[in-house]
Amino acid sequence: MEHPLRIARSAAKRSVEDVALEAGVTKSTISRVETWMSDPSVSLIRTLCVMFPSLTPNDFIIVAERSEHT
């Protein structure tokens, strides 16, 4: 599942480096968020939602699919 941040960043034609610099974090932080390897802080989520108005805080939460038991 592609991360909504990566989708928004690509649509805006912005580099990982550019987003990281504006957000005040490292490139690796943005990369880890975009690959679901790291959960961003609430502060970073707020910053990214301002930078990309199409994003919401829920975009940073992955919900595991539930399996039904009979």
Side-chain angles (χ1 to χ4, degrees):
M1 179 171 142
E2 191 167 15
H3 199 287
L5 174 58
R6 179 174 283 168
I7 295 168
R9 181 182 58 73
S10 294
K13 300 187 185 316
R14 296 186 69 180
S15 68
V16 170
E17 294 85 0
D18 177 47
V19 171
L21 183 63
E22 186 174 335
V25 296
T26 64
K27 294 184 296 187
S28 65
T29 297
I30 298 299
S31 293
R32 287 193 321 263
V33 169
E34 287 188 345
T35 56
W36 299 102
M37 298 301 292
S38 179
D39 294 326
S41 66
V42 172
S43 176
L44 181 55
I45 290 172
R46 283 187 196 132
T47 299
L48 293 170
C49 287
V50 169
M51 290 172 65
F52 301 99
S54 64
L55 296 177
T56 69
N58 287 342
D59 290 324
F60 295 90
I61 300 169
I62 190 164
V63 179
E65 293 184 36
R66 295 183 189 181
S67 61
E68 292 190 31
H69 301 284
T70 50

